[in-house]
């Protein structure tokens, strides 16, 4: 899991700033859901809250950037995050990806392999996608990620953070297992 952003002063001192305890929000995120969206402007603690939720389980954590607007890059980022877990996820898909990066030709095979490997042998898997707003207007990446989220099965959850409205079709995902949406007013 990638560490949340540090302020310059605390990074220089080598420690994270103290996290604001948010038992009410953690309780809302402890219930059943397929996708949780935390959306608010910068500085509201979205990443901190996501890291508090992820700390309670083994989570595949990806901080997205503009390069992830390409499906192959987004898949590569997910596979890299999976490889960093104590019990790595996506090894077979990574091998396929390294030999077949043509998403137009091999995207279905790579996606099916990833979907298979995302499902844990026991329990649940949490996938945290931080800064999802960078995918806004990246139609192919959003379509692919939406498919992964819909088809990943009930034991895989997605926690998304974004500034502003979530670019993914959260209403459709409600049918796949429920959703929780937290906005700026919830984080205050």
């Amino acid at each position: 899991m990638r560490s949340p952003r540090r302020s310059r002063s605390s990074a220089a001192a080598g420690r994270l700033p103290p996290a604001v305890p948010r038992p009410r929000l953690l309780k809302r995120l402890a219930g059943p859901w397929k996708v949780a969206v935390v959306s608010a402007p910068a500085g509201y603690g979205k990443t901190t809250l996501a890291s508090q939720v992820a700390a309670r389980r083994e989570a595949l954590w990806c901080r997205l950037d503009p390069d992830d607007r390409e499906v192959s890059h987004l898949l590569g980022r997910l596979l890299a995050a999976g490889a960093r877990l104590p019990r790595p996820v996506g090894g077979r898909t990574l091998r396929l990806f390294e030999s077949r990066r043509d998403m137009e030709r091999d995207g279905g095979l790579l996606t099916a392999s990833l979907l298979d490997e995302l499902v844990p042998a026991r329990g649940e898997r949490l996938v945290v996608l931080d800064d999802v707003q960078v995918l806004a207007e990246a139609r192919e990446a959003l379509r692919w990620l939406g498919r992964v989220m819909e088809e990943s099965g009930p034991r895989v959850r997605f926690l998304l953070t974004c500034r502003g409205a979530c670019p993914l079709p959260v209403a459709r995902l409600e049918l796949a297992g429920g959703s929780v949406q937290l906005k700026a007013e919830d984080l205050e």
Side-chain angles (χ1 to χ4, degrees):
M1 181 179 87
R2 206 174 212 181
S3 300
R5 276 188 202 162
R6 299 177 187 196
S7 69
R8 290 183 197 271
S9 60
S10 63
R15 63 185 188 282
L16 288 172
V20 175
R22 294 185 164 164
R24 178 181 53 83
L25 297 176
L26 291 172
K27 185 176 181 179
R28 280 186 67 186
L29 292 169
W33 46 268
K34 174 66 175 176
V35 61
V37 178
V38 182
S39 60
Y44 272 70
K46 300 176 298 292
T47 301
T48 301
L49 178 61
S51 68
Q52 290 170 342
V53 172
R56 298 172 177 215
R57 57 185 60 99
E58 189 175 279
L60 193 152
W61 183 288
C62 295
R63 173 165 282 150
L64 304 180
D65 66 34
D67 289 339
D68 297 318
R69 296 171 60 84
E70 290 182 32
V71 175
S72 62
H73 199 279
L74 180 55
L75 173 58
R77 178 151 338 257
L78 286 166
L79 293 172
R84 289 190 301 266
L85 291 174
R87 287 174 285 170
V89 172
R92 180 186 67 228
T93 307
L94 180 60
R95 288 188 298 279
L96 285 170
F97 180 68
E98 288 171 345
S99 67
R100 301 171 176 257
R101 284 189 185 236
D102 185 347
M103 288 301 289
E104 193 170 317
R105 183 188 70 220
D106 301 316
L109 172 67
L110 292 165
T111 302
S113 180
L114 175 66
L115 287 168
D116 181 57
E117 290 189 279
L118 271 179
V119 179
R122 289 183 300 278
E124 291 183 335
R125 170 140 8 258
L126 177 64
V127 178
V128 179
L129 301 174
D130 196 14
D131 290 335
V132 172
Q133 76 278 352
V134 301
L135 300 180
E137 299 179 26
R139 286 188 178 145
E140 288 302 313
L142 290 169
R143 188 178 359 239
W144 179 81
L145 186 55
R147 176 182 172 206
V148 168
M149 293 170 72
E150 285 179 32
E151 296 180 15
S152 61
R155 294 189 358 227
V156 181
R157 292 178 165 200
F158 291 84
L159 174 56
L160 315 174
T161 72
C162 57
R163 295 178 186 176
C166 180
L168 284 153
V170 177
R172 273 183 54 177
L173 296 167
E174 177 74 34
L175 299 172
S179 67
V180 173
Q181 296 190 45
L182 300 174
K183 299 187 183 286
E185 54 271 14
D186 298 310
L187 299 174
E188 293 178 332

